[in-house]
Amino acid sequence: MGDDAMVNFSCIGNGRAVYRISMRTPPLMSEDEYYAQAGETGDYQAYADSYFKTTDSQGTILLFSTADKQISTFWEGTLINVYEEDNPDAILWQTPPYIFYAFWENSILYGVMPDASDHSEILSRNLDTGEVTSILTIKNGGLVGRYMGEINNTIYEGNKIYYLIYDGEGSCVIHSYHLDTGEDERLFTDIAQVSFRIISETSDKLIGTMNGGSDLCWITKDDYENGNLKSAVKVFPLF
């Protein structure tokens, strides 16, 4: 692993972890290396700024098990470049082609990075056989408890996924999907911005934030599933 390599954890649970090692290629030159090529008239800061906005990254996604201390490769290749809106030639950030949601039984649940379509699909990959099956397809929606750039287990009560579907009229409908039975249950209608964003859970409560704020709140699972969101109790401010 080079000095410029980055390590990012994507999913942790059940004694397993998914993490990514990535590095831009070719690597960033040091100031000494740069000036040896460009001479004294060179501008290292300009070179570095251009480098980070134009250089692709190679990545490897790895699975680690604490039980047998084994590491296996899930994927390797070139990360997807996401460009600045007002400068389509400048890389804003880079991402692998997969989103990882949670470990469930002996599988990893994940999705493919969204494209221009309005569909997202939750896939399950058996960690022993490598077999991939489709669990759930969400059209014009997404998961309630998953945030870009955060490690979040999106399975609640051991077998349940909460997701939403936008209705195109400023609202969304919250659903629960049961992994063990395949049952899909419509729960309640919410605002499109989603009132309660789930972060974690206890045995009988969901922990999260309300209405886009930064205050940590809890709500009983019964109240949440019945849409009684006003019963959420503020715990303390996160910031």
Side-chain angles (χ1 to χ4, degrees), residues 29-40:
M29 288 189 289
S30 67
E31 290 192 46
D32 290 341
E33 291 170 332
Y34 171 77
Y35 285 115
Q37 291 187 19
E40 295 181 357

Side-chain angles (χ1 to χ4, degrees), residues 33 77 86 94 139:
E33 291 170 332
D86 57 353
Q94 297 170 316
K139 183 176 181 180

Side-chain angles (χ1 to χ4, degrees), residues 53-66:
K53 289 183 177 181
T54 59
T55 306
D56 289 337
S57 286
Q58 301 300 310
T60 303
I61 296 174
L62 299 164
L63 298 170
F64 173 71
S65 170
T66 59

